[in-house]
Amino acid sequence: MTDASSTTGGSNAAKPMDTFHTAVDKADYAQIQSVLESTDQIDLNGLRPDGMPPLIRLVSAIFEIDRNEVNLDSIRLLVTKGADVNCQVSSSGVAVR
C-alpha cells in the first residue's frame, strides 16, 4: 500500500501556479517576480479558479489593498511577460474571450 506522500514525492511544496495566484491576490511584486523567474509553467492568460485572468485579479487586488498607492511595477511585469492587456471580465466576474 502506498500513501499519498510517496506518490507525490513526499513534498508539501506549493505548486508554482498556486504560489503565483497567492502572490497576485496579495499584489506582492517580489513574489510574483520570483515565481515568474523560477518557472516557465505559469499561464499568464489562463483563468484562475475564480474565473478571472491574473492581470485583472492583480489590478483588483491592488485597489482592494490600497487605492492610494497603485503598484504599477506588478502590472508592468505581467504585461511584459505576456499577459493579455485586452482581457475582459463580464459583470458576473467571468472572463470574456
Side-chain angles (χ1 to χ4, degrees), residues 35-69:
V35 172
L36 291 176
E37 289 176 354
S38 70
T39 182
D40 61 355
Q41 301 300 310
I42 304 300
D43 182 359
L44 293 174
N45 296 307
L47 300 183
R48 297 165 31 92
D50 60 10
M52 295 179 115
L55 183 60
I56 289 181
R57 177 60 188 126
L58 175 62
V59 172
S60 175
I62 288 169
F63 283 101
E64 289 170 10
I65 293 167
D66 187 353
R67 290 175 183 246
N68 297 316
E69 184 179 323

Side-chain angles (χ1 to χ4, degrees), residues 15-25 42-55 57 89 92-95 97:
K15 295 177 183 174
M17 279 303 293
D18 293 338
T19 303
F20 176 69
H21 290 318
T22 299
V24 167
D25 288 340
I42 304 300
D43 182 359
L44 293 174
N45 296 307
L47 300 183
R48 297 165 31 92
D50 60 10
M52 295 179 115
L55 183 60
R57 177 60 188 126
V89 176
S92 64
V94 178
R97 299 277 177 183

